[in-house]
Amino acid sequence: MLTFNLNPDLSVPLYSQLYSAIRNALERGEITAGERLPSKRELASHLKISVVTVENAYSQLCAEGYIHSKPGSGFYAEKVQSRLSSENVTPPCIDDEPAGESYRYDFGTNRADTDFFPFSSWAKLSREVLSSQSEELLNSCSPFGTRELREQIAAYLKSFRGMNVHPNQIVVGAGSEYLTGLIIQLLGRETVYGIENPGYSKIQRIFDRNCGGIVPIPMDENGADISRVFSEADVFHITPSHHFPLGTVMPVSRRQEILGMVYSEKNKYIIEDDYDSEFRFSGRPVPTMQSMDTGGRVIYINTFTKTLAPSMRISYMVLPPQLVGEYRRKLGFYACTVPVFEQFTLAEFIRQGFFDRHISRMKKLYRRKRDAFLSIAENWKSADISGEDSGLHFLIHIKNGMGEQQLVKTAQEQGIRLHGLSEYYWADRNSAPDSHIVIGYSGMTENEIKEGAELAGKVWHL
Amino acid sequence: MLTFNLNPDLSVPLYSQLYSAIRNALERGEITAGERLPSKRELASHLKISVVTVENAYSQLCAEGYIHSKPGSGFYAEKVQSRLSSENVTPPCIDDEPAGESYRYDFGTNRADTDFFPFSSWAKLSREVLSSQSEELLNSCSPFGTRELREQIAAYLKSFRGMNVHPNQIVVGAGSEYLTGLIIQLLGRETVYGIENPGYSKIQRIFDRNCGGIVPIPMDENGADISRVFSEADVFHITPSHHFPLGTVMPVSRRQEILGMVYSEKNKYIIEDDYDSEFRFSGRPVPTMQSMDTGGRVIYINTFTKTLAPSMRISYMVLPPQLVGEYRRKLGFYACTVPVFEQFTLAEFIRQGFFDRHISRMKKLYRRKRDAFLSIAENWKSADISGEDSGLHFLIHIKNGMGEQQLVKTAQEQGIRLHGLSEYYWADRNSAPDSHIVIGYSGMTENEIKEGAELAGKVWHL
């Protein structure tokens, strides 16, 4: 008869101890396949435990397939291989991701200033949303996002961007990267995409991983020059409001030309990425292509990650009315990826005017930061600045005879991080104009920016 | 000279009125391409407005490409086509999504009981997290998720599922659907996936949209029978803890057999979807395949959507240590899709024991609901119930001579919604055994369940 040491003083229940003991005996081959186990009553009296305890252990072993019962006959062992018991194995050791280097002056472009985030307003609204304890907060919302948030986004787009958008055209999702993935699924995975070159490297990588092919769109002084690759791609991802990293704003004639080309063929589309249009420092915001599009060929995409905080993964896209039905049919089964709590909080944040006020404050803050750099750079003799009217970065052409690599390296040696323009060319890198540096200033204080700029001016002998 | 009616009493600034007036004149062809505009000074004195106002209007028109300046010569009109001004267009009207039908008794399987969600604990923790106002809350976290949440998940998996997992193996994401998309990108988009048939229809649709091909895995009394399609697919998505909708628990011998097969070839993997393993009503939880996997071939995936609330889009996967490096290289550029606020709140929710207690309460609640149905069904003469030991659904084989369609339809006529088993076959639908009904009971109260079950028994003459 099977004999095991069971200890009623342990925190592990007796049935569970018995289960483990029998399982181990099976795995060690002490009980062999086909062998009949003692009846529940026999084993209980042998081990001086209750029949219920044995019953629980046996039924767990049955559930996991270690033994099976034959009605009227008893319990029989299954064939099992021995295995490492995971319970006493130490977890694998996996190194942390290597941390990025840290610089005294970081003119990298990927940072945001979060000091001005209106924490107390956000916290107050969150509290109000949570204290409503409404059932709506717990159940899943429409795959497009909550009605409340989509209405607020539509109202915001109307007053801020002059766009006439129905809330049913809007899809809310956890970041532009995620929404881009949905667009690829919507338009078909064999579709070929034109991507701006130079451009934001993540965009290129997302398309490269997921679509039928990518084609670089060359840039000129009017922005993306789609005419040169029009026949090679089906859909064009562009940033007409403010190109990254060149800073180009696409003039209306180019926008009209592109729409005209797209209308001339079936099934060609534009993805208009309006990612930092909120931060235009002079005049009114430039109108979107979405608002010029009478043919239903522009998918507009924007994010709250840049305007609120990088930790907040809320983006949205505006589908042309013509694609809404197809989206519902093809992708309507995907649940919305943004927590409903956050959507309600953000909707109130916009509705009560906090978002507008936050953008105005950030615009002033970022303009001061930009001006801090410019106040130093205006004394530089051989440097041309461009693209400084909007967005959170601009371009400097340094004409001191140094090449891009040398500019970046000499700055780096002094603790200044900055990127050369050629780093943003994902194709045809040699075509990048030499000696151009991309300056992002959003992540530093005004003083740090001035110090960093002064130091760069010294290093580069400007 | 250009003459416009500008009104200083309007809320629209004068420069903006002038900008619109000139733009309209260009679009209507009243100013033609190449025409020289009046100088700023001339126009200002003609319209009796300040030079700065004209300057602002001109520079906005330049930025948008309606006009351009020639240094020393003045401003010239660009060629533009007329366009509909979007500002006065009414937004397109798009119908709402058609709402699903509503039933008096809904035994659909896709609902959750949110009445027991511990709102006040969650709200309290959220408040604490927000009031820390830590900078960490605003900056983006690791692409894998916050360290805090991954540590809590690892600790939970150790104590609840006996799994030894390093936090660096865990990837947090906005829902299992999203994570499944990442797995497809990780393993390559040409990879062919085996998907359980019958199974959860969303899973099949996600793979179908995104991967190189799908192959149905037939099911037998031991769960997924991979041996029959092993050569046709590279990766197998299975639910060994509790199959949906059959309710099968895969015995250990089958698990070992599958691991053995997968180890015998390079680059074959298992995706173990453990989606409702928390709700096992008798005995201990069945061990996971992940914990039996010594070869690094099991990707484990689970979600908090089922255990907390459908509105909360937090899921996670556990990569085999062997795939962590590749994941970082290939997909490490994707930002984590779950807001950092939510991740901190959930980490505290687990750490302080709220999650454990919530699961225990829900398990009791769901068991009572299940028992409510069973208390009625035990009096039915010609009905076999299976798969009722875990998860939030079970299967009934009704042997009253009615076919599946007739069972569903007669119930529907009385306001009872339930699904026939064949609805979950996405391939080879005719192979579904007839007269099987899937019962989900999570979304109704005990009384409703009893009433619904009684009514069904009457309708079906049981």
Side-chain angles (χ1 to χ4, degrees):
Chain A
M1 180 84 65
L2 297 169
T3 303
F4 307 109
N5 289 321
L6 305 181
N7 181 351
D9 299 333
L10 292 181
S11 67
V12 181
L14 274 182
Y15 92 89
S16 192
Q17 295 181 39
L18 179 60
Y19 153 86
S20 301
I22 298 177
R23 202 186 71 179
N24 288 338
L26 279 156
E27 288 178 344
R28 283 196 300 263
E30 294 163 15
I31 307 174
T32 53
E35 193 175 324
R36 185 176 176 279
L37 272 72
S39 78
K40 291 182 271 190
R41 195 167 301 275
E42 284 165 359
L43 188 58
S45 104
H46 176 67
L47 296 176
K48 314 255 179 307
I49 52 180
S50 77
V51 175
V52 172
T53 301
V54 180
E55 202 163 76
N56 286 337
Y58 276 17
S59 79
Q60 183 70 26
L61 289 161
C62 279
E64 297 182 13
Y66 284 97
I67 63 175
H68 65 274
S69 78
K70 287 189 193 164
S73 161
F75 292 88
Y76 292 84
E78 287 280 352
K79 183 161 173 277
V80 287
Q81 297 151 30
S82 67
R83 68 173 177 102
L84 274 174
S85 159
S86 70
E87 279 153 40
N88 301 313
V89 169
T90 47
C93 177
I94 299 168
D95 290 339
D96 288 349
E97 286 168 274
E101 276 177 88
S102 139
Y103 291 85
R104 188 145 163 237
Y105 304 107
D106 191 346
F107 291 105
T109 50
N110 214 357
R111 302 174 63 200
D113 191 317
T114 52
D115 288 352
F116 278 40
F117 181 79
F119 239 125
S120 51
S121 314
W122 187 271
K124 183 180 143 275
L125 294 174
S126 290
R127 264 202 308 279
E128 284 169 13
V129 165
L130 276 164
S131 68
S132 76
Q133 305 222 349
S134 128
E135 219 189 304
E136 263 183 312
L137 289 179
L138 295 174
N139 288 310
S140 45
C141 64
S142 151
F144 284 64
T146 66
R147 182 88 198 174
E148 287 76 4
L149 179 56
R150 288 182 288 129
E151 277 170 359
Q152 290 308 318
I153 291 172
Y156 171 78
L157 289 175
K158 182 158 183 63
S159 65
F160 190 81
R161 299 297 273 135
M163 290 162 66
N164 278 284
V165 165
H166 192 284
N168 285 351
Q169 285 175 265
I170 296 175
V171 182
V172 172
S176 300
E177 302 167 5
Y178 172 71
L179 291 174
T180 302
L182 289 181
I183 294 174
I184 295 171
Q185 291 182 58
L186 176 66
L187 300 180
R189 60 194 293 260
E190 296 313 325
T191 302
V192 175
Y193 287 80
I195 318 284
E196 293 173 332
N197 179 47
Y200 192 48
S201 72
K202 261 194 198 186
I203 289 293
Q204 179 258 324
R205 287 159 90 175
I206 294 167
F207 282 104
D208 197 32
R209 291 263 177 290
N210 296 290
C211 77
I214 58 176
V215 169
I217 308 176
M219 302 295 298
D220 64 16
E221 70 284 3
N222 288 332
D225 185 3
I226 284 173
S227 65
R228 286 164 61 190
V229 291
F230 186 67
S231 63
E232 295 167 47
D234 309 300
V235 182
F236 302 89
H237 180 280
I238 57 178
T239 55
S241 299
H242 185 234
H243 179 263
F244 178 84
L246 298 176
T248 326
V249 178
M250 186 182 282
V252 65
S253 55
R254 172 66 59 83
R255 293 170 191 236
Q256 290 178 334
E257 181 198 316
I258 290 177
L259 287 175
M261 278 192 286
V262 168
Y263 293 160
S264 73
E265 286 201 31
K266 264 193 178 172
N267 294 323
K268 293 226 172 188
Y269 289 92
I270 297 296
I271 302 171
E272 177 178 29
D273 190 342
D274 207 28
Y275 75 103
D276 73 355
S277 62
E278 293 81 3
F279 300 123
R280 186 163 171 75
F281 300 127
S282 55
R284 339 182 322 157
V286 175
T288 60
M289 285 183 76
Q290 196 279 345
S291 60
M292 302 167 67
D293 172 32
T294 52
R297 299 295 188 88
V298 175
I299 299 171
Y300 173 94
I301 189 164
N302 205 343
T303 182
F304 291 99
T305 299
K306 279 260 169 189
T307 43
L308 287 175
S311 68
M312 216 158 298
R313 308 304 303 171
I314 314 185
S315 298
Y316 59 94
M317 61 179 167
V318 178
L319 297 171
Q322 291 85 336
L323 283 180
V324 171
E326 195 176 337
Y327 184 91
R328 284 180 187 162
R329 273 192 307 280
K330 271 190 168 171
L331 304 176
F333 68 90
Y334 280 117
C336 178
T337 42
V338 180
V340 173
F341 285 169
E342 233 87 17
Q343 293 191 57
F344 273 97
T345 306
L346 178 56
E348 280 305 295
F349 192 79
I350 302 174
R351 200 181 64 77
Q352 298 185 23
F354 291 109
F355 184 64
D356 260 16
R357 286 200 288 281
H358 177 61
I359 294 283
S360 306
R361 290 180 72 191
M362 294 308 285
K363 225 158 103 171
K364 280 178 204 143
L365 170 71
Y366 286 136
R367 183 160 40 199
R368 282 203 308 273
K369 291 190 176 195
R370 178 197 65 167
D371 291 346
F373 197 104
L374 297 182
S375 72
I376 304 299
E378 69 185 359
N379 303 315
W380 294 351
K381 274 169 226 103
S382 30
D384 285 346
I385 291 181
S386 58
E388 75 276 25
D389 277 344
S390 73
L392 306 180
H393 63 90
F394 53 79
L395 211 59
I396 317 187
H397 181 190
I398 306 277
K399 294 183 279 191
N400 63 355
M402 287 179 170
E404 181 188 294
Q405 280 199 330
Q406 203 185 348
L407 289 166
V408 172
K409 196 166 156 267
T410 51
Q412 215 166 57
E413 283 163 2
Q414 301 297 319
I416 305 172
R417 180 195 198 202
L418 24 78
H419 294 288
L421 176 57
S422 76
E423 296 179 46
Y424 300 99
Y425 281 71
W426 56 271
D428 205 9
R429 198 160 178 169
N430 292 332
S431 70
D434 200 9
S435 309
H436 283 67
I437 297 293
V438 181
I439 299 287
Y441 47 81
S442 48
M444 278 188 285
T445 66
E446 286 167 73
N447 273 338
E448 285 166 345
I449 291 169
K450 279 189 190 170
E451 284 173 25
E454 257 166 16
L455 187 57
K458 223 178 273 174
V459 173
W460 294 335
H461 309 293
L462 297 174
Chain B
M1 178 88 64
L2 298 168
T3 302
F4 306 110
N5 289 321
L6 305 180
N7 182 350
D9 299 333
L10 293 180
S11 66
V12 181
L14 274 181
Y15 92 89
S16 191
Q17 293 181 41
L18 180 59
Y19 153 85
S20 301
I22 298 177
R23 202 186 72 179
N24 288 338
L26 278 155
E27 288 178 347
R28 282 195 302 262
E30 295 163 15
I31 306 173
T32 53
E35 193 176 324
R36 186 177 175 277
L37 273 72
S39 77
K40 290 183 270 190
R41 196 167 300 274
E42 284 165 356
L43 189 58
S45 105
H46 176 66
L47 296 175
K48 315 254 180 305
I49 53 179
S50 77
V51 175
V52 172
T53 302
V54 181
E55 202 163 77
N56 286 338
Y58 276 16
S59 77
Q60 182 70 27
L61 288 161
C62 279
E64 297 182 13
Y66 284 97
I67 63 175
H68 65 276
S69 77
K70 286 189 194 163
S73 161
F75 292 87
Y76 292 84
E78 287 280 355
K79 184 161 172 278
V80 288
Q81 298 150 30
S82 67
R83 68 175 176 101
L84 272 175
S85 158
S86 70
E87 278 153 41
N88 301 311
V89 169
T90 46
C93 177
I94 299 167
D95 289 340
D96 289 348
E97 285 168 275
E101 276 177 88
S102 139
Y103 291 85
R104 188 146 162 234
Y105 304 107
D106 191 347
F107 291 105
T109 50
N110 215 357
R111 302 174 65 201
D113 191 318
T114 52
D115 288 353
F116 277 40
F117 180 80
F119 239 125
S120 50
S121 315
W122 187 271
K124 181 180 145 277
L125 294 174
S126 291
R127 264 201 307 278
E128 284 168 14
V129 164
L130 277 165
S131 68
S132 76
Q133 305 222 351
S134 127
E135 219 189 305
E136 262 183 314
L137 289 180
L138 294 174
N139 288 311
S140 45
C141 63
S142 151
F144 284 65
T146 66
R147 183 88 198 174
E148 288 76 3
L149 179 55
R150 286 182 288 131
E151 277 170 359
Q152 290 309 317
I153 291 173
Y156 171 78
L157 288 175
K158 182 157 183 68
S159 66
F160 189 81
R161 301 297 272 135
M163 289 162 67
N164 278 285
V165 165
H166 191 283
N168 286 350
Q169 287 175 264
I170 297 175
V171 182
V172 172
S176 300
E177 302 167 4
Y178 172 71
L179 292 174
T180 302
L182 289 181
I183 294 174
I184 295 171
Q185 291 182 58
L186 176 65
L187 301 179
R189 61 195 293 262
E190 296 313 326
T191 301
V192 175
Y193 288 80
I195 317 286
E196 293 173 333
N197 179 45
Y200 192 48
S201 72
K202 262 195 197 185
I203 289 293
Q204 179 258 324
R205 287 160 89 174
I206 293 168
F207 281 105
D208 198 31
R209 292 262 176 290
N210 296 290
C211 78
I214 57 176
V215 168
I217 308 176
M219 304 295 298
D220 64 16
E221 70 284 2
N222 288 333
D225 186 3
I226 284 173
S227 65
R228 286 164 59 190
V229 291
F230 186 66
S231 62
E232 295 167 48
D234 309 300
V235 182
F236 302 89
H237 180 281
I238 57 179
T239 55
S241 298
H242 185 233
H243 179 263
F244 177 83
L246 298 176
T248 327
V249 178
M250 186 183 282
V252 66
S253 54
R254 172 65 60 85
R255 293 170 190 236
Q256 290 178 334
E257 180 199 316
I258 290 177
L259 286 174
M261 278 193 285
V262 168
Y263 293 160
S264 73
E265 287 200 31
K266 262 193 178 172
N267 295 323
K268 293 226 173 189
Y269 289 92
I270 297 296
I271 302 171
E272 176 178 29
D273 190 342
D274 207 29
Y275 74 104
D276 72 354
S277 62
E278 293 81 2
F279 300 122
R280 188 164 168 75
F281 301 126
S282 54
R284 339 183 322 156
V286 175
T288 60
M289 285 183 76
Q290 196 279 346
S291 60
M292 301 167 69
D293 173 31
T294 52
R297 299 295 188 90
V298 175
I299 299 171
Y300 174 92
I301 189 164
N302 205 342
T303 183
F304 291 100
T305 299
K306 280 263 171 190
T307 42
L308 287 175
S311 68
M312 215 158 300
R313 308 305 302 174
I314 313 185
S315 298
Y316 58 95
M317 59 180 170
V318 178
L319 298 171
Q322 290 86 336
L323 283 181
V324 171
E326 195 177 338
Y327 184 91
R328 284 180 187 162
R329 273 192 307 281
K330 271 191 169 172
L331 304 176
F333 69 90
Y334 280 117
C336 178
T337 42
V338 180
V340 173
F341 285 170
E342 233 86 16
Q343 293 191 56
F344 273 97
T345 306
L346 178 56
E348 279 305 295
F349 192 79
I350 301 174
R351 199 182 63 79
Q352 298 185 22
F354 290 109
F355 184 64
D356 260 16
R357 286 199 289 281
H358 177 61
I359 293 284
S360 306
R361 290 180 72 192
M362 293 308 285
K363 224 158 103 170
K364 279 178 205 144
L365 170 71
Y366 285 136
R367 183 161 40 199
R368 282 203 309 272
K369 290 189 176 197
R370 179 197 64 167
D371 292 346
F373 196 104
L374 297 181
S375 72
I376 304 298
E378 70 185 359
N379 303 314
W380 293 352
K381 274 168 226 104
S382 30
D384 285 347
I385 290 180
S386 58
E388 76 277 23
D389 276 345
S390 72
L392 305 180
H393 63 91
F394 53 79
L395 212 57
I396 316 185
H397 181 189
I398 306 278
K399 296 182 278 191
N400 64 355
M402 287 180 172
E404 182 188 293
Q405 281 199 329
Q406 203 186 348
L407 290 166
V408 172
K409 197 166 156 267
T410 51
Q412 217 166 55
E413 284 162 1
Q414 301 298 318
I416 306 171
R417 180 196 198 200
L418 24 76
H419 295 289
L421 176 57
S422 76
E423 296 178 46
Y424 300 99
Y425 281 71
W426 56 271
D428 206 9
R429 199 159 178 169
N430 293 331
S431 70
D434 201 8
S435 308
H436 282 67
I437 297 293
V438 181
I439 298 286
Y441 47 82
S442 47
M444 278 187 285
T445 66
E446 285 167 73
N447 273 339
E448 285 167 345
I449 292 169
K450 278 189 190 169
E451 284 173 25
E454 257 166 16
L455 187 57
K458 225 179 271 173
V459 172
W460 294 334
H461 309 291
L462 297 172

